Amino acid sequence: MKNLLHILYCIYQLLIGIPVVIVITIVTALEVGIGCAIGNGHFWGYYPGRWWAKIILRTLLIPVKVEGRENLERNQSYVFVANHQGAFDIFLVYGFLGRNFKWMMKHQINKIPFVGFACRRSHQIMVDKRGVSKIKKTYDDARRILQQGYSVVVFPEGARSFTGHMGVFRKGAFALADELQLPVVPLTINGSFDILPRMRDWHFVTWHPLRLTIHQPIYPVGQGPDNVNATLRQAYDSVMSALVPEYQGFVENPDQ
């Protein structure tokens, strides 16, 4: 019975899911690009993407549960840090975090047709480590967004997991939060690895629920390396605490 349901779900994806995803991605990218060119970039850079993510998950019949929204203050800027289980992390956070934010994402996203165009026009923050000047620009862009009252979302592992387990958190996002004395909010993502692990990119997805856990903000205590390290450890432990037992524990990610 389980195999039959999986086969039917793959047929559904082929006939309905994939065409809808392609069309809605192209339409949203054009909407973002045109909207940012003629109007409020912070509006057009967030809300069309939010509905894009929701439509994709609903089209693919993926149920979503969000816990902890009550932990966030309405007008507060945050540095959100999340584990990176898979490609569906993007849809879950974009569609259901419920905050206007910018992504800190790999510069290679620029190469994805339509998606790269929308990201450039909406001024998402491209993480480019190919030289000191590019690294400086990444942090200058993130600093400017946060100082304007918006939030940023970072995957501090830097790459999707090969196992569903968490790797090492890098310090960049925590150093930025420390510099601006902003709270860090850990996010735990469950289910994304089960839907589409990175080893199966461009394959059919597997049906599985998604869950986003929004933890209590971690406010700075002091400023400097001690605060950065303490916040990183606390954020890591918070994210780990809400992972399902199957993916508890550290596993080294070979491309970190």
Side-chain angles (χ1 to χ4, degrees):
M1 184 65 178
K2 186 176 180 180
N3 288 337
L4 175 60
L5 290 174
H6 180 68
I7 292 170
L8 291 174
Y9 186 49
C10 289
I11 294 172
Y12 171 82
Q13 290 177 58
L14 187 63
L15 297 179
I16 298 175
I18 294 173
V20 169
V21 169
I22 293 172
V23 170
I24 194 66
T25 298
I26 293 172
V27 170
T28 301
L30 294 174
E31 183 182 10
V32 169
I34 295 170
C36 288
I38 64 176
N40 184 341
H42 288 301
F43 175 88
W44 291 104
Y46 171 66
Y47 287 98
R50 180 184 182 185
W51 284 105
W52 165 77
K54 286 188 173 187
I55 290 170
I56 287 176
L57 290 180
R58 287 170 180 170
T59 299
L60 293 174
L61 312 178
I62 303 295
V64 172
K65 182 178 181 181
V66 180
E67 301 170 331
R69 279 208 188 100
E70 68 278 3
N71 292 328
L72 303 180
E73 296 180 26
R74 187 175 182 84
N75 296 313
Q76 173 68 55
S77 293
Y78 294 108
V79 176
F80 293 99
V81 295
N83 60 313
H84 204 0
Q85 281 202 336
F88 274 68
D89 299 345
I90 305 299
F91 306 130
L92 178 61
V93 174
Y94 220 160
F96 294 91
L97 179 59
R99 305 287 293 204
N100 194 332
F101 66 87
K102 299 293 185 185
W103 293 100
M104 291 187 70
M105 57 177 64
K106 289 185 175 182
H107 70 92
Q108 290 91 338
I109 299 294
N110 274 319
K111 299 178 181 179
I112 300 176
F114 294 101
V115 173
F117 166 75
C119 290
R120 289 191 301 274
R121 296 308 298 265
S122 58
H123 303 292
Q124 305 300 327
I125 303 160
M126 298 297 172
V127 179
D128 193 338
K129 300 178 181 178
R130 297 173 299 177
V132 174
S133 63
K134 293 184 183 296
I135 294 173
K136 181 178 183 301
K137 183 179 185 306
T138 295
Y139 283 95
D140 287 346
D141 290 345
R143 187 181 297 109
R144 185 178 66 254
I145 291 298
L146 288 164
Q147 288 173 335
Q148 290 174 357
Y150 294 91
S151 298
V152 298
V153 174
V154 187
F155 296 114
E157 293 169 275
R160 289 175 290 163
S161 171
F162 279 103
T163 63
H165 295 260
M166 285 167 57
V168 175
F169 274 11
R170 299 178 182 274
K171 291 185 179 181
F174 303 95
L176 185 63
D178 174 73
E179 177 189 337
L180 300 177
Q181 290 290 279
L182 290 173
V184 171
V185 177
L187 306 174
T188 302
I189 294 168
N190 279 293
S192 181
F193 184 80
D194 301 280
I195 292 173
L196 189 66
R198 65 184 296 183
M199 306 83 71
R200 297 183 65 248
D201 281 346
W202 309 110
H203 286 66
F204 288 114
V205 304
T206 300
W207 186 92
H208 195 281
L210 283 170
R211 188 174 84 236
L212 176 66
T213 304
I214 304 169
H215 296 275
Q216 290 276 356
I218 304 169
Y219 288 88
V221 179
Q223 191 168 20
D226 289 344
N227 180 59
V228 172
N229 292 329
T231 304
L232 186 153
R233 288 193 299 270
Q234 189 176 344
Y236 191 93
D237 290 345
S238 294
V239 176
M240 181 74 77
S241 71
L243 282 173
V244 296
E246 181 180 358
Y247 299 124
Q248 285 280 335
F250 166 80
V251 174
E252 185 176 2
N253 195 346
D255 70 345
Q256 280 199 313

